[in-house]
Amino acid sequence: MNKFLKNIKDFITTYDLLPKVLSILLALILWANLQNSQIDEISYNLYPEIRNLATDLVILEDIPNIRVTIRGKKEYLKSINLSTIKLFIDLSQPFIGKKYRYGIQIKDNEWTNVIDYILEKEYIDLTIHKIKNKNVPVEPIIVGNLVQQFKTGIVIVEPSIVKISGPEPIIDEIKMMKTYPINISNEQHTINIESRIDTSKYSKIVVYPDIVKVIIPISHIANLVSITVPIEIKNRNAELNYNLNISKVIVFIKKNASFELDGNAFYAYINGDIESSYQGTLSMPVFVEKKGKYPFNIFSFEPSDVEVTITSIQR
């Protein structure tokens, strides 16, 4: 090793290379220093953190990511990464029920004092509402057609009521929740299936439970017997006339040789509880119940709703 160093020394001395070597080293040092002192910039897309939002409040809008451009000396930029940049929106004093402009802030730390930064936007418009809870019924959505000579019975949903939670004005508008479509095309046997509640039409709501069990009875018509039952008006308003476009309902039950039935076994009705001032035509659901403790269940009935024209009684 000593011999190798001596040879290098002799070579530099012989050709007078020392000044040149020193010049090159100095140039490299100056170049490196110049590079580090040059101004550069880098950009990140970040989601602002929501701070100080009360637990009984919810933001209606989705929070977008915000572009942050950092500008400064390269030597400082090297020490900055996503973990050192923090954006936030302070919602400690929200305006409830209307859209309002809130500031987007950047968390101060050691680098914010030596580097400039530019936010793509400094404000964001947000709508904040109270969170409301409500129980609503579930409507199963059935699509497709059965094989000929087969019928569907009364669909059972378990649980039939779900709890929804979300922004108050959205929850107020929801009267029921629907399942995703269940296809029964060409089925010949009763269907037992789990179906998720469809929340795609609503923003920022939570449903519990979000999955329900759906039972769709299916039977060949040869295994059913039908009985015609008149539709009555329950809770009739004495000041109104009720004109039904269909006055009877057909009730289907499973065949059973051990008993015979007639229309007196069932009570079919619509709910006539309507304000005296109303006049017009309504689509009203039909309800069918057993009048006694018969050892069978109603398989189905049709129609499930009727049109009712309401007029005032002339006195």
Side-chain angles (χ1 to χ4, degrees), residues 146-163:
L146 295 177
V147 177
Q148 287 187 354
Q149 306 298 309
F150 282 84
K151 288 185 67 67
T152 56
I154 298 173
V155 179
I156 300 171
V157 181
E158 298 175 348
S160 60
I161 302 291
V162 293
K163 179 181 178 180

Side-chain angles (χ1 to χ4, degrees), residues 12 24 61 106 123 181 211 214 218 264 281:
I12 293 175
I24 292 172
E61 296 84 3
I106 193 163
Y123 298 93
I211 295 177
V214 181
I218 297 176
N264 294 323
T281 301

